[in-house]
């Protein structure tokens, strides 16, 4: 086992064991370890939290044997001496995990003269349920002759990929001048409040020989989808394949995405998870699986993971049951359960496919594409489980109690009832309904708004139908 993996294992054996994923440590249940790898909490922040917690630069350094390279953190902000004691302990744990995820493809590298820039992300979940996202930019640093790639990695608890991609652009531009120029920019960013949806924060930054620059960072107005780019799925798969991935996900099966590059992997897995809105994937979730964690694909529990295609043989040779193996490069399924086309009610499947096929030529912006692709899946959940609030009976203390049997029986369609009876047993639905039971008021937000619109449309249709009869 290489030195990096040993260091990661050691850091995760600490008494206050924190960040996962991690390799299985002796005496621990692999199931317990892997079940702690969760999807990031992609909450709709209203403005206020810090943009980020750390910036790391990870470089490749020769190992003591001289045979290969080991990813190593060579720069960080804020500096270690500026951290409080609790922050230092957390930062020490991050030091063990970050290099592994910045270079998930192993240690066999050689100096290069050309390397395509890649922007990707990974997810770390704390045992207390809090989550952090690593936003990464991997590229060749400026300079003459063959060189090794480096990675800029920003750690944040906020899901907003477009915005952080722009921040990585600024870090890259400053690093080409000098590492010293990065510090004032990151300090200014750290002192700025994260903007509310649709709002902009403007940073003033001085660059030698260029003068003072003003950098505007704007959040999309619809923060529900600001963490994804659904064009990634459309570029790799057809509508029916996307529907089959969705069907596998709603039944919490095992899904593996394969792709050559890190950007495609992380974008597609985030996009697939986003189709589950208003539900959240609550199982193993690794956008890019490091080489040393490939045994994850043997887990008997549900997972959604991305694996670089260079490891395809290792994946195919692994013992796997009921898995959907998606080749994003070829746009094919290499393995499937076989019933993915029968999971969802036929009429609702056809409605999703019909909606996805309409009006594609009118889509100009990322926001329009995201809304067009996600909309039919939101409507699917509205038509199958959107009546949940009517079956939450509340006691005098305001605590809700979900009435499962009458909820399922309320659906007029037999195929919809059959699907919902399975879906209510998933962790996706259980976690959602638990939150609804705890809440003393009706769920607000986009999903509730769309349910209200759907119910109003049904009311308007009824008088017309009676008139026609």
């Amino acid at each position: 086992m290489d030195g990096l993996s040993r260091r990661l294992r050691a850091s995760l054996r600490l008494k206050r064991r924190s960040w996962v994923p991690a390799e299985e440590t002796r005496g621990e249940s692999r199931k317990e370890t892997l079940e702690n790898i969760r999807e990031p909490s992609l909450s709709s922040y209203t403005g206020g939290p810090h943009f980020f917690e750390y910036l790391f630069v990870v470089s490749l350094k020769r190992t003591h044997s001289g045979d290969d390279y080991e990813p190593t953190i060579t720069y960080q902000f804020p500096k270690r001496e500026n951290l409080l004691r609790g922050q230092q302990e957390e930062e020490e744990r991050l030091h063990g995990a970050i290099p592994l995820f910045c270079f998930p493809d192993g240690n066999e590298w050689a100096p290069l003269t050309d390397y395509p820039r890649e922007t990707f992300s990974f997810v770390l979940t704390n045992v207390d349920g809090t989550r952090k996202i690593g936003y990464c930019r991997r590229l060749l640093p400026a300079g003459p002759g063959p060189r090794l790639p480096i990675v800029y990695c920003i750690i944040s608890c906020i899901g907003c990929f477009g915005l952080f991609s722009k921040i990585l652009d600024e870090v890259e531009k400053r690093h080409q001048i000098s590492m010293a120029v990065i510090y004032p920019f990151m300090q200014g960013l750290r002192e700025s409040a994260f903007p509310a949806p649709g709002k902009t924060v403007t940073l003033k930054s001085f660059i030698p020989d260029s003068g003072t620059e003003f950098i505007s960072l704007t959040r999309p107005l619809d923060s529900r989808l600001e963490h994804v780019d659904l064009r990634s799925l459309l570029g790799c798969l057809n509508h029916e394949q996307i529907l089959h991935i969705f069907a596998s996900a709603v039944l919490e099966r095992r899904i593996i995405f394969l792709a050559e590059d890190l950007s495609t992997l992380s974008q597609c897995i985030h996009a697939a998870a986003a189709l589950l809105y208003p539900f959240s994937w609550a199982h193993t979730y690794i956008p890019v699986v490091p080489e040393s964690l490939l045994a994850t694909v043997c887990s008997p529990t549900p997972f959604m993971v991305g694996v670089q295609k260079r490891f395809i043989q290792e994946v195919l040779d692994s013992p796997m049951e009921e898995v959907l193996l998606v080749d994003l490069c070829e746009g094919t399924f290499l393995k499937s359960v076989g019933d993915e086309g029968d999971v969802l009610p036929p009429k609702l499947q056809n409605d999703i496919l019909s909606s996805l096929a309409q009006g594609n030529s009118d889509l100009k912006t990322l926001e329009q594409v995201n809304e067009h692709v996600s909309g039919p899946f939101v409507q699917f959940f509205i038509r199958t489980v959107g009546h949940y609030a009517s079956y939450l009976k509340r006691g005098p203390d305001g605590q809700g109690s979900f009435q499962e049997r009458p909820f399922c029986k309320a659906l007029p369609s037999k195929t919809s009832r059959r699907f919902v009876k399975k879906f209510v047993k998933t962790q996706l639905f259980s976690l959602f309904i638990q939150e609804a039971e705890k809440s003393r008021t009706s769920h607000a937000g986009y999903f509730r708004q769309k349910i209200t619109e759907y119910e109003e449309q049904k009311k308007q249709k009824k008088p017309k139908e009676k008139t026609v009869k």
Side-chain angles (χ1 to χ4, degrees):
M1 180 176 293
D2 59 59
L4 176 59
S5 294
R6 285 197 299 271
R7 194 168 75 231
L8 178 61
R9 278 168 62 114
S11 70
L12 292 171
R13 284 198 189 107
L14 295 172
K15 183 177 180 182
R16 289 182 61 202
R17 184 176 174 205
S18 181
W19 299 109
V20 290
E23 294 176 89
E24 184 181 7
T25 54
R26 190 172 298 170
E28 285 185 298
S29 158
R30 181 165 196 85
K31 179 179 177 182
E32 179 185 349
T33 301
L34 291 173
E35 281 187 341
N36 281 322
I37 309 169
R38 311 274 185 190
E39 184 195 3
S41 176
L42 299 166
S43 303
S44 174
Y45 287 87
T46 56
H50 288 302
F51 270 86
F52 73 103
E53 295 182 12
Y54 302 94
L55 164 70
F56 296 106
V57 178
V58 181
S59 308
L60 290 166
K61 300 293 183 184
R62 275 203 180 276
T63 58
H64 293 304
S65 66
D67 296 331
D68 53 17
Y69 292 91
E70 179 178 273
T72 305
I73 293 172
T74 53
Y75 175 88
Q76 75 174 65
F77 174 91
K79 296 187 181 301
R80 180 170 288 190
E81 57 266 27
N82 297 333
L83 299 175
L84 301 174
R85 183 176 176 182
Q87 292 173 316
Q88 288 176 349
E89 291 173 358
E90 177 193 55
E91 179 246 20
E92 186 178 321
R93 292 189 292 273
L94 285 171
H95 264 254
I98 298 301
L100 181 68
F101 288 93
C102 289
F103 285 92
D105 22 23
N107 298 343
E108 295 180 6
W109 288 88
L112 305 164
T113 55
D114 185 51
Y115 182 80
R117 176 187 283 102
E118 291 186 285
T119 303
F120 60 99
S121 63
F122 60 83
V123 176
L124 296 173
T125 304
N126 201 353
V127 291
D128 67 2
T130 58
R131 299 167 176 100
K132 295 187 190 295
I133 304 171
Y135 299 94
C136 299
R137 171 76 51 81
R138 193 159 83 176
L139 73 165
L140 280 186
R147 327 182 277 291
L148 291 163
I150 63 169
V151 176
Y152 308 124
C153 176
I154 297 173
I155 302 295
S156 177
C157 64
I158 296 167
C160 192
F161 293 98
L163 189 145
F164 277 96
S165 181
K166 188 170 182 181
I167 294 171
L168 287 167
D169 291 342
E170 297 296 331
V171 170
E172 181 182 342
K173 182 167 71 174
R174 283 157 179 75
H175 191 201
Q176 290 173 355
I177 302 167
S178 166
M179 290 297 292
V181 186
I182 295 177
Y183 186 91
F185 170 70
M186 298 307 289
Q187 184 64 36
L189 187 66
R190 191 170 171 83
E191 292 171 354
S192 301
F194 193 66
K199 301 298 182 182
T200 299
V201 63
T202 301
L203 302 174
K204 186 167 71 171
S205 178
F206 177 79
I207 298 181
D209 300 326
S210 298
T212 300
E213 288 189 355
F214 292 91
I215 300 145
S216 295
L217 299 169
T218 304
R219 282 181 75 189
L221 189 59
D222 181 6
S223 61
R224 178 179 61 94
L225 291 170
E226 67 185 328
H227 61 283
V228 293
D229 183 344
L230 291 172
R231 293 174 303 190
S232 56
L233 278 180
L234 291 176
C236 297
L237 303 167
N238 62 42
H239 294 160
E240 191 169 355
Q241 289 170 324
I242 294 171
L243 190 64
H244 287 180
I245 290 170
F246 173 76
S248 295
V250 294
L251 289 191
E252 298 179 324
R253 291 178 173 176
R254 292 172 279 278
I255 307 172
I256 304 170
F257 294 93
L258 293 169
E260 299 283 0
D261 63 276
L262 302 173
S263 306
T264 300
L265 274 180
S266 61
Q267 285 176 4
C268 285
I269 195 170
H270 286 303
L275 295 180
L276 296 172
Y277 174 87
F279 305 94
S280 296
W281 183 260
H283 301 280
T284 302
Y285 182 87
I286 317 177
V288 181
V289 177
E291 181 183 18
S292 59
L293 296 181
L294 284 175
T296 302
V297 302
C298 303
S299 170
T301 57
F303 59 71
M304 195 183 293
V305 301
V307 176
Q308 287 176 284
K309 202 169 177 183
R310 67 177 66 191
F311 302 124
I312 184 171
Q313 200 55 52
E314 288 93 322
V315 171
L316 291 173
D317 292 342
S318 300
M320 297 179 292
E321 293 182 5
E322 293 196 337
V323 66
L324 182 64
L325 182 56
V326 185
D327 186 337
L328 295 168
C329 299
E330 301 298 328
T332 58
F333 292 162
L334 302 183
K335 283 180 179 287
S336 65
V337 176
D339 66 346
E340 288 83 0
D342 303 321
V343 171
L344 310 178
K347 183 181 185 310
L348 298 186
Q349 280 197 84
N350 291 334
D351 289 347
I352 291 173
L353 291 172
S354 176
S355 295
L356 290 175
Q358 292 172 6
N360 289 312
S361 58
D362 300 328
L363 306 175
K364 302 290 190 294
T365 67
L366 171 61
E367 287 77 15
Q368 288 173 333
V369 174
N370 280 350
E371 182 60 38
H372 175 76
V373 177
S374 68
F377 295 96
V378 174
Q379 285 298 315
F380 170 83
F381 284 126
I382 288 171
R383 294 168 68 180
T384 52
V385 298
H387 57 299
Y388 74 94
S390 300
Y391 295 87
L392 279 171
K393 304 304 177 189
R394 299 197 179 275
D397 60 352
Q399 180 71 25
S401 175
F402 181 59
Q403 311 296 303
E404 184 179 308
R405 283 192 68 185
F407 166 78
C408 294
K409 282 185 172 182
L411 290 164
S413 163
K414 187 182 292 185
T415 54
S416 292
R417 284 198 305 272
R418 192 179 302 129
F419 165 77
V420 169
K421 282 178 182 177
K422 292 180 183 177
F423 184 60
V424 294
K425 303 302 181 185
T426 65
Q427 202 165 341
L428 283 172
F429 187 80
S430 295
L431 292 174
F432 175 85
I433 212 68
Q434 283 170 24
E435 287 299 314
E437 286 175 334
K438 285 184 216 169
S439 176
R440 293 177 181 274
T441 58
S442 178
H443 270 192
Y446 182 85
F447 189 55
R448 188 68 246 172
Q449 172 194 329
K450 288 297 178 182
I451 290 173
T452 303
E453 290 176 8
Y454 176 72
E455 289 172 346
E456 287 298 322
Q457 289 170 0
K458 279 176 65 178
K459 286 178 185 175
Q460 291 171 11
K461 281 181 181 178
K462 280 184 179 178
K464 290 179 183 178
E465 289 170 357
K466 286 179 181 176
T467 305
V468 171
K469 288 177 183 177

